[in-house]
Amino acid sequence: MSPGANFALVTSVALGASRRAGVMTGLGLALASMTWALLAVAGLGVVLRNLPWLHQALQWAGALYLVYLGMRMLEGARRPVKTAVLDKPVSPLVAMRRGYLVSMTNPKAVAFYGSILALLIPGNAPHWVYEVTVVLAALISAAWYCGVALLLSHAAVRQRFLRGKTVIEAVVGVSLLVLGSRMLVGY
């Protein structure tokens, strides 16, 4: 689970909004992992290999969304702490939806679930193997991202964040912009 768009999102929400919003973002990411796993066991790898335009469209949508999130982070970095962090709560539903959308348009998720996972599970595996795969994908993702959210929303960690908010949000914003831009140009 290397740092990427999903990690950057749950980190920024847990630090900048609230513990609840961070956990809901983590649950949105887990729901997306479950969706990707369902798609993988249903034959996503075959579909993406046969419809390269769909794979490309997913990558572009993900790249544009990352650029959008990066710009929003940079805007928030310039705002004073009181306005950007404390007065702008993120509703649980919005946090979950953001997590879901980021992961569903994340090329790393497409690559993992569409190729690696789809290839690792034999087509003639018993039905329970598919079910366990989907459940495990959701549980592992939920444990990781919700754990990150719980840790980073802890009062001591949050205080450190508030002291370095501008720099942290600017770095995360630039990182998301660079990642999204690189994806748009095909790197």
Side-chain angles (χ1 to χ4, degrees):
M1 296 201 197
S2 61
N6 294 358
F7 186 81
L9 179 66
V10 78
T11 298
S12 67
V13 172
L15 287 170
S18 69
R19 174 172 285 182
R20 183 175 181 198
V23 169
M24 293 304 288
T25 301
L27 292 176
L29 293 167
L31 183 60
S33 291
M34 186 175 83
T35 302
W36 279 120
L38 276 168
L39 291 170
V41 299
L44 174 67
V46 173
V47 170
L48 292 178
R49 276 192 298 279
N50 291 321
L51 298 173
W53 64 267
L54 179 60
H55 185 264
Q56 188 65 47
L58 285 171
Q59 285 184 322
W60 284 342
L64 289 171
Y65 194 61
L66 290 178
V67 167
Y68 167 78
L69 287 176
M71 291 187 318
R72 297 278 303 186
M73 290 290 295
L74 287 173
E75 287 174 20
R78 291 190 300 239
R79 291 189 198 122
V81 171
K82 184 176 183 212
T83 302
V85 177
L86 304 176
D87 289 344
K88 294 257 183 176
V90 177
S91 80
L93 203 51
V94 167
M96 184 179 250
R97 186 181 70 222
R98 275 189 199 152
Y100 186 80
L101 288 174
V102 165
S103 188
M104 288 305 295
T105 58
N106 186 342
K108 284 172 68 174
V110 174
F112 177 74
Y113 289 105
S115 59
I116 298 168
L117 183 65
L119 293 175
L120 289 177
I121 300 173
N124 59 352
H127 196 266
W128 67 266
V129 170
Y130 299 122
E131 293 168 358
V132 168
T133 299
V134 171
V135 170
L136 282 176
L139 290 176
I140 291 168
S141 183
W144 170 249
Y145 290 117
C146 291
V148 168
L150 290 171
L151 173 68
L152 295 179
S153 63
H154 188 272
V157 176
R158 180 175 273 179
Q159 283 297 43
R160 284 196 171 140
F161 165 75
L162 290 175
R163 286 193 293 267
K165 174 204 170 293
T166 300
V167 172
I168 293 168
E169 286 189 352
V171 167
V172 172
V174 167
S175 298
L176 290 173
L177 277 171
V178 168
L179 181 61
S181 298
R182 286 185 68 185
M183 288 167 44
L184 284 172
V185 297
Y187 290 105

PDB file of all heavy atoms in Angstrom, residues 10-47:
ATOM      1  N   VAL A  10      -7.159  10.492   2.263  1.00  0.00           N
ATOM      2  CA  VAL A  10      -7.560  10.159   3.632  1.00  0.00           C
ATOM      3  C   VAL A  10      -6.713  10.937   4.636  1.00  0.00           C
ATOM      4  O   VAL A  10      -7.212  11.370   5.679  1.00  0.00           O
ATOM      5  CB  VAL A  10      -7.528   8.634   3.886  1.00  0.00           C
ATOM      6  CG1 VAL A  10      -6.136   8.109   4.109  1.00  0.00           C
ATOM      7  CG2 VAL A  10      -8.424   8.272   5.062  1.00  0.00           C
ATOM      8  N   THR A  11      -5.460  11.169   4.320  1.00  0.00           N
ATOM      9  CA  THR A  11      -4.585  11.944   5.197  1.00  0.00           C
ATOM     10  C   THR A  11      -5.081  13.376   5.315  1.00  0.00           C
ATOM     11  O   THR A  11      -5.216  13.908   6.419  1.00  0.00           O
ATOM     12  CB  THR A  11      -3.138  11.926   4.663  1.00  0.00           C
ATOM     13  OG1 THR A  11      -2.679  10.576   4.667  1.00  0.00           O
ATOM     14  CG2 THR A  11      -2.224  12.777   5.504  1.00  0.00           C
ATOM     15  N   SER A  12      -5.350  14.002   4.173  1.00  0.00           N
ATOM     16  CA  SER A  12      -5.768  15.405   4.222  1.00  0.00           C
ATOM     17  C   SER A  12      -7.118  15.574   4.904  1.00  0.00           C
ATOM     18  O   SER A  12      -7.327  16.529   5.652  1.00  0.00           O
ATOM     19  CB  SER A  12      -5.794  16.012   2.821  1.00  0.00           C
ATOM     20  OG  SER A  12      -6.800  15.421   2.036  1.00  0.00           O
ATOM     21  N   VAL A  13      -8.038  14.643   4.703  1.00  0.00           N
ATOM     22  CA  VAL A  13      -9.355  14.751   5.338  1.00  0.00           C
ATOM     23  C   VAL A  13      -9.236  14.513   6.849  1.00  0.00           C
ATOM     24  O   VAL A  13      -9.815  15.252   7.641  1.00  0.00           O
ATOM     25  CB  VAL A  13     -10.370  13.783   4.691  1.00  0.00           C
ATOM     26  CG1 VAL A  13     -11.676  13.756   5.472  1.00  0.00           C
ATOM     27  CG2 VAL A  13     -10.628  14.187   3.254  1.00  0.00           C
ATOM     28  N   ALA A  14      -8.474  13.500   7.239  1.00  0.00           N
ATOM     29  CA  ALA A  14      -8.336  13.200   8.670  1.00  0.00           C
ATOM     30  C   ALA A  14      -7.648  14.343   9.412  1.00  0.00           C
ATOM     31  O   ALA A  14      -8.023  14.675  10.530  1.00  0.00           O
ATOM     32  CB  ALA A  14      -7.555  11.907   8.864  1.00  0.00           C
ATOM     33  N   LEU A  15      -6.647  14.935   8.785  1.00  0.00           N
ATOM     34  CA  LEU A  15      -5.932  16.033   9.428  1.00  0.00           C
ATOM     35  C   LEU A  15      -6.689  17.343   9.352  1.00  0.00           C
ATOM     36  O   LEU A  15      -6.695  18.118  10.302  1.00  0.00           O
ATOM     37  CB  LEU A  15      -4.561  16.224   8.772  1.00  0.00           C
ATOM     38  CG  LEU A  15      -3.505  15.182   9.064  1.00  0.00           C
ATOM     39  CD1 LEU A  15      -2.303  15.375   8.172  1.00  0.00           C
ATOM     40  CD2 LEU A  15      -3.100  15.224  10.526  1.00  0.00           C
ATOM     41  N   GLY A  16      -7.315  17.606   8.226  1.00  0.00           N
ATOM     42  CA  GLY A  16      -7.900  18.916   8.004  1.00  0.00           C
ATOM     43  C   GLY A  16      -9.367  19.055   8.309  1.00  0.00           C
ATOM     44  O   GLY A  16      -9.857  20.167   8.442  1.00  0.00           O
ATOM     45  N   ALA A  17     -10.083  17.953   8.410  1.00  0.00           N
ATOM     46  CA  ALA A  17     -11.520  18.067   8.656  1.00  0.00           C
ATOM     47  C   ALA A  17     -11.867  17.498  10.026  1.00  0.00           C
ATOM     48  O   ALA A  17     -11.988  18.241  10.988  1.00  0.00           O
ATOM     49  CB  ALA A  17     -12.304  17.363   7.551  1.00  0.00           C
ATOM     50  N   SER A  18     -12.000  16.177  10.103  1.00  0.00           N
ATOM     51  CA  SER A  18     -12.354  15.560  11.381  1.00  0.00           C
ATOM     52  C   SER A  18     -12.048  14.074  11.340  1.00  0.00           C
ATOM     53  O   SER A  18     -11.857  13.498  10.271  1.00  0.00           O
ATOM     54  CB  SER A  18     -13.840  15.765  11.682  1.00  0.00           C
ATOM     55  OG  SER A  18     -14.636  15.009  10.777  1.00  0.00           O
ATOM     56  N   ARG A  19     -12.045  13.470  12.522  1.00  0.00           N
ATOM     57  CA  ARG A  19     -11.853  12.025  12.625  1.00  0.00           C
ATOM     58  C   ARG A  19     -12.975  11.298  11.886  1.00  0.00           C
ATOM     59  O   ARG A  19     -12.743  10.374  11.121  1.00  0.00           O
ATOM     60  CB  ARG A  19     -11.821  11.608  14.087  1.00  0.00           C
ATOM     61  CG  ARG A  19     -11.778  10.090  14.270  1.00  0.00           C
ATOM     62  CD  ARG A  19     -11.561   9.739  15.687  1.00  0.00           C
ATOM     63  NE  ARG A  19     -10.150  10.022  15.951  1.00  0.00           N
ATOM     64  CZ  ARG A  19      -9.549   9.814  17.101  1.00  0.00           C
ATOM     65  NH1 ARG A  19     -10.228   9.332  18.110  1.00  0.00           N
ATOM     66  NH2 ARG A  19      -8.293  10.093  17.268  1.00  0.00           N
ATOM     67  N   ARG A  20     -14.195  11.741  12.100  1.00  0.00           N
ATOM     68  CA  ARG A  20     -15.354  11.098  11.472  1.00  0.00           C
ATOM     69  C   ARG A  20     -15.261  11.178   9.947  1.00  0.00           C
ATOM     70  O   ARG A  20     -15.499  10.190   9.249  1.00  0.00           O
ATOM     71  CB  ARG A  20     -16.630  11.766  11.966  1.00  0.00           C
ATOM     72  CG  ARG A  20     -17.885  11.132  11.445  1.00  0.00           C
ATOM     73  CD  ARG A  20     -19.091  11.787  12.073  1.00  0.00           C
ATOM     74  NE  ARG A  20     -20.318  11.180  11.594  1.00  0.00           N
ATOM     75  CZ  ARG A  20     -21.486  11.730  11.690  1.00  0.00           C
ATOM     76  NH1 ARG A  20     -21.617  12.905  12.286  1.00  0.00           N
ATOM     77  NH2 ARG A  20     -22.553  11.136  11.228  1.00  0.00           N
ATOM     78  N   ALA A  21     -14.921  12.359   9.433  1.00  0.00           N
ATOM     79  CA  ALA A  21     -14.792  12.519   7.982  1.00  0.00           C
ATOM     80  C   ALA A  21     -13.652  11.660   7.441  1.00  0.00           C
ATOM     81  O   ALA A  21     -13.770  11.071   6.360  1.00  0.00           O
ATOM     82  CB  ALA A  21     -14.573  13.984   7.627  1.00  0.00           C
ATOM     83  N   GLY A  22     -12.553  11.569   8.188  1.00  0.00           N
ATOM     84  CA  GLY A  22     -11.435  10.722   7.768  1.00  0.00           C
ATOM     85  C   GLY A  22     -11.825   9.262   7.698  1.00  0.00           C
ATOM     86  O   GLY A  22     -11.492   8.556   6.741  1.00  0.00           O
ATOM     87  N   VAL A  23     -12.529   8.802   8.720  1.00  0.00           N
ATOM     88  CA  VAL A  23     -12.972   7.407   8.737  1.00  0.00           C
ATOM     89  C   VAL A  23     -13.979   7.163   7.607  1.00  0.00           C
ATOM     90  O   VAL A  23     -13.922   6.123   6.927  1.00  0.00           O
ATOM     91  CB  VAL A  23     -13.570   7.028  10.114  1.00  0.00           C
ATOM     92  CG1 VAL A  23     -14.282   5.690  10.062  1.00  0.00           C
ATOM     93  CG2 VAL A  23     -12.468   7.008  11.166  1.00  0.00           C
ATOM     94  N   MET A  24     -14.878   8.094   7.371  1.00  0.00           N
ATOM     95  CA  MET A  24     -15.850   7.925   6.282  1.00  0.00           C
ATOM     96  C   MET A  24     -15.147   7.919   4.925  1.00  0.00           C
ATOM     97  O   MET A  24     -15.547   7.182   4.021  1.00  0.00           O
ATOM     98  CB  MET A  24     -16.921   9.017   6.339  1.00  0.00           C
ATOM     99  CG  MET A  24     -17.831   8.906   7.556  1.00  0.00           C
ATOM    100  SD  MET A  24     -18.647   7.300   7.720  1.00  0.00           S
ATOM    101  CE  MET A  24     -19.824   7.391   6.385  1.00  0.00           C
ATOM    102  N   THR A  25     -14.087   8.719   4.783  1.00  0.00           N
ATOM    103  CA  THR A  25     -13.288   8.677   3.557  1.00  0.00           C
ATOM    104  C   THR A  25     -12.661   7.298   3.406  1.00  0.00           C
ATOM    105  O   THR A  25     -12.675   6.707   2.318  1.00  0.00           O
ATOM    106  CB  THR A  25     -12.205   9.769   3.572  1.00  0.00           C
ATOM    107  OG1 THR A  25     -12.832  11.051   3.687  1.00  0.00           O
ATOM    108  CG2 THR A  25     -11.350   9.727   2.319  1.00  0.00           C
ATOM    109  N   GLY A  26     -12.130   6.768   4.511  1.00  0.00           N
ATOM    110  CA  GLY A  26     -11.563   5.422   4.493  1.00  0.00           C
ATOM    111  C   GLY A  26     -12.594   4.377   4.111  1.00  0.00           C
ATOM    112  O   GLY A  26     -12.300   3.440   3.355  1.00  0.00           O
ATOM    113  N   LEU A  27     -13.812   4.537   4.612  1.00  0.00           N
ATOM    114  CA  LEU A  27     -14.882   3.595   4.252  1.00  0.00           C
ATOM    115  C   LEU A  27     -15.273   3.729   2.775  1.00  0.00           C
ATOM    116  O   LEU A  27     -15.596   2.734   2.123  1.00  0.00           O
ATOM    117  CB  LEU A  27     -16.092   3.784   5.159  1.00  0.00           C
ATOM    118  CG  LEU A  27     -15.879   3.375   6.621  1.00  0.00           C
ATOM    119  CD1 LEU A  27     -17.115   3.701   7.456  1.00  0.00           C
ATOM    120  CD2 LEU A  27     -15.519   1.906   6.729  1.00  0.00           C
ATOM    121  N   GLY A  28     -15.224   4.958   2.252  1.00  0.00           N
ATOM    122  CA  GLY A  28     -15.472   5.149   0.817  1.00  0.00           C
ATOM    123  C   GLY A  28     -14.406   4.463  -0.022  1.00  0.00           C
ATOM    124  O   GLY A  28     -14.705   3.839  -1.047  1.00  0.00           O
ATOM    125  N   LEU A  29     -13.154   4.562   0.428  1.00  0.00           N
ATOM    126  CA  LEU A  29     -12.061   3.872  -0.267  1.00  0.00           C
ATOM    127  C   LEU A  29     -12.245   2.359  -0.191  1.00  0.00           C
ATOM    128  O   LEU A  29     -11.998   1.645  -1.169  1.00  0.00           O
ATOM    129  CB  LEU A  29     -10.715   4.284   0.339  1.00  0.00           C
ATOM    130  CG  LEU A  29     -10.310   5.745   0.115  1.00  0.00           C
ATOM    131  CD1 LEU A  29      -9.138   6.126   1.005  1.00  0.00           C
ATOM    132  CD2 LEU A  29      -9.995   6.007  -1.348  1.00  0.00           C
ATOM    133  N   ALA A  30     -12.696   1.871   0.955  1.00  0.00           N
ATOM    134  CA  ALA A  30     -12.939   0.434   1.115  1.00  0.00           C
ATOM    135  C   ALA A  30     -14.094  -0.025   0.223  1.00  0.00           C
ATOM    136  O   ALA A  30     -14.031  -1.109  -0.372  1.00  0.00           O
ATOM    137  CB  ALA A  30     -13.227   0.105   2.577  1.00  0.00           C
ATOM    138  N   LEU A  31     -15.126   0.791   0.127  1.00  0.00           N
ATOM    139  CA  LEU A  31     -16.250   0.457  -0.753  1.00  0.00           C
ATOM    140  C   LEU A  31     -15.777   0.385  -2.208  1.00  0.00           C
ATOM    141  O   LEU A  31     -16.199  -0.493  -2.968  1.00  0.00           O
ATOM    142  CB  LEU A  31     -17.373   1.489  -0.592  1.00  0.00           C
ATOM    143  CG  LEU A  31     -18.646   1.250  -1.376  1.00  0.00           C
ATOM    144  CD1 LEU A  31     -19.287  -0.081  -0.999  1.00  0.00           C
ATOM    145  CD2 LEU A  31     -19.626   2.393  -1.129  1.00  0.00           C
ATOM    146  N   ALA A  32     -14.890   1.291  -2.585  1.00  0.00           N
ATOM    147  CA  ALA A  32     -14.336   1.248  -3.938  1.00  0.00           C
ATOM    148  C   ALA A  32     -13.483  -0.008  -4.133  1.00  0.00           C
ATOM    149  O   ALA A  32     -13.538  -0.636  -5.197  1.00  0.00           O
ATOM    150  CB  ALA A  32     -13.510   2.504  -4.208  1.00  0.00           C
ATOM    151  N   SER A  33     -12.703  -0.386  -3.119  1.00  0.00           N
ATOM    152  CA  SER A  33     -11.915  -1.622  -3.220  1.00  0.00           C
ATOM    153  C   SER A  33     -12.833  -2.820  -3.416  1.00  0.00           C
ATOM    154  O   SER A  33     -12.540  -3.719  -4.210  1.00  0.00           O
ATOM    155  CB  SER A  33     -11.070  -1.827  -1.958  1.00  0.00           C
ATOM    156  OG  SER A  33     -10.046  -0.870  -1.893  1.00  0.00           O
ATOM    157  N   MET A  34     -13.943  -2.823  -2.696  1.00  0.00           N
ATOM    158  CA  MET A  34     -14.912  -3.905  -2.851  1.00  0.00           C
ATOM    159  C   MET A  34     -15.500  -3.899  -4.265  1.00  0.00           C
ATOM    160  O   MET A  34     -15.632  -4.950  -4.905  1.00  0.00           O
ATOM    161  CB  MET A  34     -16.030  -3.777  -1.820  1.00  0.00           C
ATOM    162  CG  MET A  34     -16.985  -4.952  -1.829  1.00  0.00           C
ATOM    163  SD  MET A  34     -18.212  -4.843  -0.524  1.00  0.00           S
ATOM    164  CE  MET A  34     -19.390  -3.762  -1.296  1.00  0.00           C
ATOM    165  N   THR A  35     -15.808  -2.706  -4.770  1.00  0.00           N
ATOM    166  CA  THR A  35     -16.352  -2.590  -6.125  1.00  0.00           C
ATOM    167  C   THR A  35     -15.346  -3.097  -7.152  1.00  0.00           C
ATOM    168  O   THR A  35     -15.692  -3.863  -8.052  1.00  0.00           O
ATOM    169  CB  THR A  35     -16.725  -1.122  -6.437  1.00  0.00           C
ATOM    170  OG1 THR A  35     -17.663  -0.663  -5.465  1.00  0.00           O
ATOM    171  CG2 THR A  35     -17.312  -0.988  -7.835  1.00  0.00           C
ATOM    172  N   TRP A  36     -14.084  -2.661  -7.005  1.00  0.00           N
ATOM    173  CA  TRP A  36     -13.044  -3.109  -7.942  1.00  0.00           C
ATOM    174  C   TRP A  36     -12.861  -4.626  -7.864  1.00  0.00           C
ATOM    175  O   TRP A  36     -12.683  -5.288  -8.890  1.00  0.00           O
ATOM    176  CB  TRP A  36     -11.724  -2.410  -7.678  1.00  0.00           C
ATOM    177  CG  TRP A  36     -11.644  -1.032  -8.273  1.00  0.00           C
ATOM    178  CD1 TRP A  36     -11.446   0.142  -7.599  1.00  0.00           C
ATOM    179  CD2 TRP A  36     -11.748  -0.674  -9.650  1.00  0.00           C
ATOM    180  NE1 TRP A  36     -11.437   1.197  -8.481  1.00  0.00           N
ATOM    181  CE2 TRP A  36     -11.622   0.713  -9.749  1.00  0.00           C
ATOM    182  CE3 TRP A  36     -11.969  -1.407 -10.822  1.00  0.00           C
ATOM    183  CZ2 TRP A  36     -11.683   1.392 -10.959  1.00  0.00           C
ATOM    184  CZ3 TRP A  36     -12.027  -0.729 -12.031  1.00  0.00           C
ATOM    185  CH2 TRP A  36     -11.885   0.651 -12.092  1.00  0.00           C
ATOM    186  N   ALA A  37     -12.881  -5.167  -6.659  1.00  0.00           N
ATOM    187  CA  ALA A  37     -12.723  -6.618  -6.519  1.00  0.00           C
ATOM    188  C   ALA A  37     -13.893  -7.353  -7.170  1.00  0.00           C
ATOM    189  O   ALA A  37     -13.692  -8.376  -7.833  1.00  0.00           O
ATOM    190  CB  ALA A  37     -12.592  -6.998  -5.047  1.00  0.00           C
ATOM    191  N   LEU A  38     -15.107  -6.839  -6.988  1.00  0.00           N
ATOM    192  CA  LEU A  38     -16.274  -7.434  -7.645  1.00  0.00           C
ATOM    193  C   LEU A  38     -16.118  -7.404  -9.165  1.00  0.00           C
ATOM    194  O   LEU A  38     -16.397  -8.392  -9.852  1.00  0.00           O
ATOM    195  CB  LEU A  38     -17.553  -6.685  -7.260  1.00  0.00           C
ATOM    196  CG  LEU A  38     -18.229  -7.087  -5.967  1.00  0.00           C
ATOM    197  CD1 LEU A  38     -19.298  -6.067  -5.582  1.00  0.00           C
ATOM    198  CD2 LEU A  38     -18.834  -8.466  -6.089  1.00  0.00           C
ATOM    199  N   LEU A  39     -15.675  -6.247  -9.659  1.00  0.00           N
ATOM    200  CA  LEU A  39     -15.467  -6.129 -11.101  1.00  0.00           C
ATOM    201  C   LEU A  39     -14.378  -7.086 -11.580  1.00  0.00           C
ATOM    202  O   LEU A  39     -14.493  -7.683 -12.664  1.00  0.00           O
ATOM    203  CB  LEU A  39     -15.115  -4.689 -11.467  1.00  0.00           C
ATOM    204  CG  LEU A  39     -16.248  -3.673 -11.315  1.00  0.00           C
ATOM    205  CD1 LEU A  39     -15.720  -2.253 -11.469  1.00  0.00           C
ATOM    206  CD2 LEU A  39     -17.360  -3.956 -12.304  1.00  0.00           C
ATOM    207  N   ALA A  40     -13.324  -7.225 -10.791  1.00  0.00           N
ATOM    208  CA  ALA A  40     -12.216  -8.105 -11.178  1.00  0.00           C
ATOM    209  C   ALA A  40     -12.669  -9.555 -11.258  1.00  0.00           C
ATOM    210  O   ALA A  40     -12.361 -10.247 -12.231  1.00  0.00           O
ATOM    211  CB  ALA A  40     -11.052  -7.963 -10.192  1.00  0.00           C
ATOM    212  N   VAL A  41     -13.395 -10.002 -10.256  1.00  0.00           N
ATOM    213  CA  VAL A  41     -13.837 -11.400 -10.283  1.00  0.00           C
ATOM    214  C   VAL A  41     -14.926 -11.610 -11.336  1.00  0.00           C
ATOM    215  O   VAL A  41     -15.171 -12.738 -11.756  1.00  0.00           O
ATOM    216  CB  VAL A  41     -14.295 -11.923  -8.887  1.00  0.00           C
ATOM    217  CG1 VAL A  41     -13.166 -11.854  -7.896  1.00  0.00           C
ATOM    218  CG2 VAL A  41     -15.529 -11.208  -8.397  1.00  0.00           C
ATOM    219  N   ALA A  42     -15.560 -10.524 -11.776  1.00  0.00           N
ATOM    220  CA  ALA A  42     -16.576 -10.631 -12.829  1.00  0.00           C
ATOM    221  C   ALA A  42     -15.967 -10.511 -14.225  1.00  0.00           C
ATOM    222  O   ALA A  42     -16.692 -10.553 -15.214  1.00  0.00           O
ATOM    223  CB  ALA A  42     -17.641  -9.555 -12.634  1.00  0.00           C
ATOM    224  N   GLY A  43     -14.650 -10.314 -14.312  1.00  0.00           N
ATOM    225  CA  GLY A  43     -14.001 -10.286 -15.620  1.00  0.00           C
ATOM    226  C   GLY A  43     -13.526  -8.926 -16.084  1.00  0.00           C
ATOM    227  O   GLY A  43     -13.401  -8.690 -17.281  1.00  0.00           O
ATOM    228  N   LEU A  44     -13.239  -8.008 -15.180  1.00  0.00           N
ATOM    229  CA  LEU A  44     -12.788  -6.673 -15.555  1.00  0.00           C
ATOM    230  C   LEU A  44     -11.524  -6.703 -16.412  1.00  0.00           C
ATOM    231  O   LEU A  44     -11.398  -5.949 -17.369  1.00  0.00           O
ATOM    232  CB  LEU A  44     -12.528  -5.832 -14.295  1.00  0.00           C
ATOM    233  CG  LEU A  44     -11.923  -4.449 -14.531  1.00  0.00           C
ATOM    234  CD1 LEU A  44     -12.917  -3.561 -15.261  1.00  0.00           C
ATOM    235  CD2 LEU A  44     -11.522  -3.816 -13.220  1.00  0.00           C
ATOM    236  N   GLY A  45     -10.594  -7.582 -16.071  1.00  0.00           N
ATOM    237  CA  GLY A  45      -9.347  -7.656 -16.837  1.00  0.00           C
ATOM    238  C   GLY A  45      -9.613  -7.917 -18.307  1.00  0.00           C
ATOM    239  O   GLY A  45      -9.012  -7.293 -19.181  1.00  0.00           O
ATOM    240  N   VAL A  46     -10.539  -8.817 -18.586  1.00  0.00           N
ATOM    241  CA  VAL A  46     -10.883  -9.140 -19.971  1.00  0.00           C
ATOM    242  C   VAL A  46     -11.506  -7.920 -20.654  1.00  0.00           C
ATOM    243  O   VAL A  46     -11.168  -7.578 -21.790  1.00  0.00           O
ATOM    244  CB  VAL A  46     -11.845 -10.351 -20.020  1.00  0.00           C
ATOM    245  CG1 VAL A  46     -12.359 -10.596 -21.426  1.00  0.00           C
ATOM    246  CG2 VAL A  46     -11.171 -11.582 -19.458  1.00  0.00           C
ATOM    247  N   VAL A  47     -12.415  -7.246 -19.952  1.00  0.00           N
ATOM    248  CA  VAL A  47     -13.087  -6.078 -20.518  1.00  0.00           C
ATOM    249  C   VAL A  47     -12.072  -4.985 -20.840  1.00  0.00           C
ATOM    250  O   VAL A  47     -12.085  -4.412 -21.938  1.00  0.00           O
ATOM    251  CB  VAL A  47     -14.184  -5.548 -19.564  1.00  0.00           C
ATOM    252  CG1 VAL A  47     -14.720  -4.209 -20.037  1.00  0.00           C
ATOM    253  CG2 VAL A  47     -15.301  -6.557 -19.426  1.00  0.00           C
TER     254      VAL A  47
END
